[in-house]
Amino acid sequence: MNFVSILMGSKSDYEIVKEAAKVLENFGVKYELIISSAHRSPARTKEYIKDAEKRGAKVFIAAAGMAAHLAGAVAAYTTKPVLGVPMPGSNLASMDSLYSTVQMPSGIPVATLAIGKAGAINAAYLASQILALNDESLAKALLEDRKKQEEKLINDSKGVEVLL
């Protein structure tokens, strides 16, 4: 069974990370979600990644704040795509989590999304797009979603537009 694995560094990340889960659910993409830390539970993180790969994880989403090394730790243990979501809330205006997620050494890539909710949502969309490379029905669902987004924008515009 193919699925997306979502890891978050702490329970405080859940309110944002659940937005990624909602997107995956909307597309019928199976996922797992766990709390695991690169620093507080490194053995758990490594063991989980290896086990998830054996069970069919095709993409990993890693969300963490502060000096967020979770995505990098995940990338160290897998060659599957890793999508990093920096979490907001540090004393450094979240720049620490952004920089630690985006500044990976050559050869160990992490695709880094926006900080916070937008990043979590886009990580789920990107994971779905990756899976859609080998799933025509998922590809069609993504295309339909784009059409719905366009229709919503047009309808929203009609409610406020002033044209000459």
Side-chain angles (χ1 to χ4, degrees), residues 40-107:
R40 295 183 298 265
S41 60
R44 171 184 166 83
T45 301
K46 180 180 180 181
E47 290 167 16
Y48 172 76
I49 293 161
K50 292 302 180 186
D51 180 61
E53 273 191 326
K54 288 178 189 172
R55 293 182 295 106
K58 298 300 181 196
V59 180
F60 290 88
I61 296 173
M66 300 184 75
H69 294 291
L70 182 58
V74 173
Y77 298 122
T78 185
T79 57
K80 304 285 189 229
V82 177
L83 313 180
V85 181
M87 291 286 104
S90 74
N91 292 333
L92 300 174
S94 306
M95 297 311 289
D96 50 345
S97 59
L98 174 63
Y99 289 151
S100 63
T101 305
V102 77
Q103 281 301 120
M104 291 296 297
S106 298

Side-chain angles (χ1 to χ4, degrees), residues 9-40:
S10 67
K11 188 176 180 183
S12 64
D13 300 325
Y14 179 71
E15 288 304 311
I16 292 173
V17 171
K18 74 179 182 181
E19 299 299 323
K22 288 179 188 177
V23 171
L24 295 173
E25 288 169 7
N26 183 52
F27 289 117
V29 173
K30 298 202 180 309
Y31 68 91
E32 292 185 346
L33 189 148
I34 70 161
I35 298 170
S36 196
S37 170
H39 302 104
R40 295 183 298 265

